[in-house]
Amino acid sequence: MLRASGRRLGAAVAPAVALAAALLSSLARCSLLGPSDPVASVLSPYFGTKTRYEDVNPGLVLDPEAPRRDPELLEGTCTPVQLVALIRHGTRYPTAKQIRKLRQLHGLLQARGRGSAGGRDLGAALADWPLGYADWMDGQLVEKGRQDMRQLALRLASLFPALFSRENYGRLRLLTSSKHRCVDSGAAFLQGLWQHYHPGLPPPDVADMECGPPRINDKLMRFFDHCEKFLTEVERNATALYHVEAFKTGPEMQNILKKVAATLQVPVNDLNADLIQVAFFTCSFDLAIKGVKSPWCDVFDIDDARVLEYLNDLKQYWKRGHGYTINSRSSCTLFQDIFQHLDKAVEQKQRLEKFSNLLPVFSKSQPISSPVILQFGHAETLLPLLSLMGYFKDKEPLTAYNYKEQMHRKFRSGHIVPYASNLIFVLYHCENAKTPKEQFQVQMLLNEKVLPLAHSQETVSLYEDLKNYYKDILQGCQNSEECELPKVNSTSDEL
Ligand SMILES: *[C@@H]1O[C@H](CO)[C@@H](O)[C@H](O)[C@H]1NC(C)=O
Ligand SMILES: *[C@@H]1O[C@H](CO)[C@@H](O)[C@H](O)[C@H]1NC(C)=O
C-alpha cells in the first residue's frame, strides 16, 4: 500500500509526506469499509438480484487498491487499448412497492396480538423490529452502494493502470440510465477514481470533474422501455409470466407459506407468496444496506431460501433472460453500440501505429480518444445482453414444475447480476502478431473474473473471430425491426 501510494505521488515527494498520505488514505479507506468481517447470513447466497457483490466475489473488497494481476488476463506483448464496462448500480433501497408490501406484513404482525407461546416468539420480535424503510427511499442508491462503486473504481484502476492513467482521466466517457441510482453510481465511481489519483483530497463535485458528469441515455441503458414488442408481449402481458404465478401457488411455495404462518402465528390465509418474498428480501436489505442480520433472516432456512431464489430467477428468466427471444433481442442496440466503440478503437489504433512508423517522434503508446467507456444501468440491462450473447442458457427452460431438476441450473441471477455487477470488454493490441488479424484480441470479464467466450470457451479471442461469431446480431438485428409489433395495422407512432 505504501509502495503503491508512493508510486502515485511520484518519486519527487518527500518520504514523510508519502507516508502521511498513505496513512490518510488507508484511514479513509478503512472507515469506508466498515467491519472487515461483514455480517453474513446462511441465506446470503440465495438473494438473487439482491445479492451483495462481496458475497459473489469474496476476497475482492478488503484492499481495493492492492496491486492485482488476474493470471488469466492477457499480458506481455499485448496491451489494453480500450475498456467498455457495463455496470449495474450499487446497493439500493427497496422500491416503494416493496416497502408497501413490507408495511402490510408488518401491520399483520402488529395486529396479531402477543403470541401465546412464551419464550422466543419471532412474530413478536418482528412486530417490534423497526420497519426502517420509508416511501421516499424508493430504490435509491444507499451509502453502501456508493462504496460499492468507489471500490469497483479503485479495483479496476489497479487492474488496468494504463487505461485508468491520470492522463486518461479527461478522456473517460460515462453514460447512464436516467434512474437516480444509476446516475449516482456513475458519480460515486468517479469519486472513487478521484481518490485513486489524489489520495487524501476530497473529490470535487462531479460536474466539475474533467470528464464531466455521466450523460443520460435511456435508449441504450433502458432499451427495454423503448421496445414496443417487448412491452406488449412481455412487460404488459398478464400471461407472459405464467410460470412465476404458477410457482407462487405451487407445492414448494405453499409449504413455505404454511411453515411461516405457523412460525409467525398468523393465519395462513393472510399470507401470500409476495409477502413471503418481501420478508425474505427484507433480510437481504437489512444485511446489504445496514450491515445487520435482522430477525427477518430467522424466518427462513436454507431450503426455503433455495425455493425463494428460484422464484426470483423464474421472473428474471421469463422477463429478462432466455424465456422469450424478444427479451434478449431488445438489447441488440446496446450490443452493437459496444462493438462500434471497439471498431472505432481498432481503426484509431491502426492509424496511430501507421503514424508512429512514419514519424518515430509520434509515440506508439499514444492513447486513443476514448480508452475507457463506462455505462451505468440495471440488472435488466445486463441479463438480456448476456442472454443475447448465449450465456447462462440451460438445456431446459425454467418452469413452475421443474424446480428440482433445475437445482444445478446455470441461470442463477445472484451469481450473474448482484449489486454492482459488471460486464467488461477489453480490447488488446498485440505487438508480435504474425498477421494483422492477430493484432487485436478481446477478453470479457464478468464481475471482474474472466468470462470464457461463448464460441470457444477460451479466455481470449481474436477480435475478428468474436465479431464473426456474433455477425448475425451485429448485422441482422435492428431494434427498429426486432421491436416492431407483428402486423399491427395502425398508424405507427414515433417511439
Ligand atoms: C402473452 O404471452 C403469452 C405467453 O407467452 C402469449 O401466448 C401471448 O401471445 C402474449 N400476448 C400478447 C398480446 O403478446
Ligand atoms: C394496413 O392495411 C391496409 C389495408 O388492408 C394495407 O393496404 C396496408 O398495407 C397495411 N399497412 C401495413 C403497415 O401493414
Side-chain angles (χ1 to χ4, degrees):
M1 189 164 52
L2 227 179
R3 191 179 53 77
S5 300
R7 174 168 49 73
R8 276 199 314 277
L9 285 168
V13 179
V17 177
L19 179 63
L23 281 176
L24 264 178
S25 91
S26 83
L27 272 178
R29 218 181 296 138
C30 289
S31 64
L32 292 177
L33 278 174
S36 59
D37 189 16
V39 182
S41 157
V42 290
L43 311 181
S44 292
Y46 307 102
F47 289 140
T49 51
K50 284 148 193 80
T51 299
R52 296 180 295 189
Y53 192 71
E54 56 269 32
D55 288 329
V56 177
N57 242 342
L60 278 187
V61 180
L62 285 185
D63 187 359
E65 284 199 277
R68 201 150 61 85
R69 264 329 309 170
D70 185 321
E72 295 195 294
L73 279 185
L74 271 187
E75 299 198 60
T77 55
C78 298
T79 50
V81 176
Q82 187 181 51
L83 175 151
V84 183
L86 301 167
I87 301 171
R88 184 191 181 201
H89 57 77
T91 307
R92 63 163 172 84
Y93 280 123
T95 60
K97 199 167 140 196
Q98 287 164 327
I99 294 169
R100 268 200 304 279
K101 284 184 198 160
L102 176 61
R103 201 178 292 122
Q104 185 190 341
L105 181 61
H106 201 231
L108 214 74
L109 289 166
Q110 287 179 322
R112 114 215 130 118
R114 292 284 131 183
S116 49
R120 185 181 158 280
D121 178 353
L122 187 52
L126 284 170
D128 292 341
W129 184 258
L131 197 63
Y133 302 104
D135 288 336
W136 66 265
M137 295 173 175
D138 192 16
Q140 289 194 55
L141 194 69
V142 297
E143 182 47 36
K144 169 64 166 58
R146 287 178 229 283
Q147 180 188 306
D148 292 339
M149 289 295 124
R150 288 192 297 260
Q151 294 188 340
L152 178 64
L154 292 174
R155 290 194 307 268
L156 290 182
S158 82
L159 200 54
F160 298 102
L163 290 176
F164 286 91
S165 66
R166 179 68 190 83
E167 73 154 337
N168 275 351
Y169 193 32
R171 295 191 180 96
L172 299 177
R173 280 184 55 186
L174 282 81
L175 211 86
T176 178
S177 138
S178 61
K179 290 282 171 185
H180 255 119
R181 54 183 172 276
C182 299
V183 176
D184 291 350
S185 288
F189 191 100
L190 281 176
Q191 286 165 349
L193 282 182
W194 173 272
Q195 216 182 315
H196 174 74
Y197 301 127
H198 312 278
L201 282 183
D205 199 81
V206 172
D208 299 330
M209 288 193 181
E210 257 174 279
C211 55
R215 280 183 304 116
I216 289 171
N217 187 336
D218 279 344
K219 280 241 166 78
L220 276 184
M221 302 317 288
R222 295 179 60 81
F223 50 79
F224 40 90
D225 281 345
H226 298 264
C227 184
E228 219 29 65
K229 185 170 176 183
F230 169 76
L231 292 174
T232 306
E233 293 187 353
V234 183
E235 176 84 48
R236 302 181 190 130
N237 179 351
T239 51
L241 298 189
Y242 166 82
H243 287 285
V244 179
E245 295 310 314
F247 192 72
K248 282 183 184 173
T249 54
E252 292 88 357
M253 281 304 294
Q254 288 310 306
N255 251 339
I256 299 182
L257 246 77
K258 275 186 234 144
K259 235 166 83 176
V260 172
T263 310
L264 302 183
Q265 299 170 39
V266 293
V268 69
N269 289 334
D270 286 354
L271 293 178
N272 58 47
D274 289 350
L275 293 179
I276 297 290
Q277 203 174 20
V278 89
F280 183 59
F281 284 154
T282 303
C283 164
S284 83
F285 286 128
D286 287 346
L287 272 174
I289 299 171
K290 303 172 181 168
V292 299
K293 197 173 150 215
S294 75
W296 291 104
C297 304
D298 298 329
V299 177
F300 306 100
D301 63 23
I302 290 183
D303 289 331
D304 303 334
R306 290 200 174 102
V307 171
L308 290 162
E309 181 198 22
Y310 190 68
L311 177 60
N312 189 9
D313 285 350
L314 266 180
K315 181 173 165 203
Q316 299 301 332
Y317 178 85
W318 290 100
K319 209 167 165 184
R320 311 292 175 182
H322 296 287
Y324 298 109
T325 311
I326 187 60
N327 296 351
S328 57
R329 294 298 277 189
S330 64
S331 75
C332 71
T333 340
L334 177 59
F335 183 78
Q336 289 168 355
D337 185 71
I338 295 164
F339 279 77
Q340 277 159 19
H341 289 307
L342 299 172
D343 275 348
K344 208 167 151 201
V346 166
E347 262 171 51
Q348 274 193 20
K349 185 69 190 171
Q350 281 170 334
R351 218 170 323 129
L352 287 170
E353 284 283 300
K354 217 177 278 170
F355 270 137
S356 69
N357 289 341
L358 293 171
L359 287 168
V361 289
F362 203 81
S363 166
K364 250 184 163 47
S365 57
Q366 178 89 357
I368 59 162
S369 55
S370 300
V372 177
I373 296 167
L374 304 159
Q375 314 196 155
F376 296 85
H378 307 264
E380 293 82 351
T381 316
L382 287 174
L383 279 178
L385 189 73
L386 284 162
S387 301
L388 185 73
M389 296 183 74
Y391 286 105
F392 307 109
K393 183 166 190 173
D394 293 286
K395 287 203 184 74
E396 297 295 323
L398 276 62
T399 74
Y401 315 107
N402 62 7
Y403 166 69
K404 277 224 175 69
E405 291 82 345
Q406 293 287 12
M407 284 289 253
H408 302 288
R409 64 189 176 278
K410 293 179 188 159
F411 192 84
R412 286 187 71 192
S413 55
H415 292 192
I416 310 169
V417 283
Y419 295 124
S421 48
N422 46 86
L423 176 67
I424 298 179
F425 295 75
V426 188
L427 177 75
Y428 293 87
H429 180 257
C430 302
E431 283 293 334
N432 295 348
K434 289 185 207 75
T435 64
K437 181 182 154 169
E438 285 169 26
Q439 268 184 18
F440 291 97
Q441 307 194 11
V442 193
Q443 290 195 300
M444 284 173 65
L445 287 85
L446 179 61
N447 302 328
E448 297 169 75
K449 280 179 283 205
V450 171
L451 182 68
L453 295 149
H455 65 284
S456 61
Q457 297 308 312
E458 303 280 342
T459 58
V460 58
S461 168
L462 299 186
Y463 181 54
E464 280 306 314
D465 290 350
L466 190 67
K467 273 179 52 169
N468 190 45
Y469 178 68
Y470 289 119
K471 67 170 182 289
D472 161 53
I473 307 169
L474 290 172
Q475 293 159 14
C477 182
Q478 298 306 327
N479 265 59
S480 50
E481 290 163 26
E482 300 287 331
C483 289
E484 198 174 304
L485 281 166
K487 296 191 204 65
V488 176
N489 200 344
S490 64
T491 47
S492 68
D493 52 354
E494 40 77 66
L495 195 75

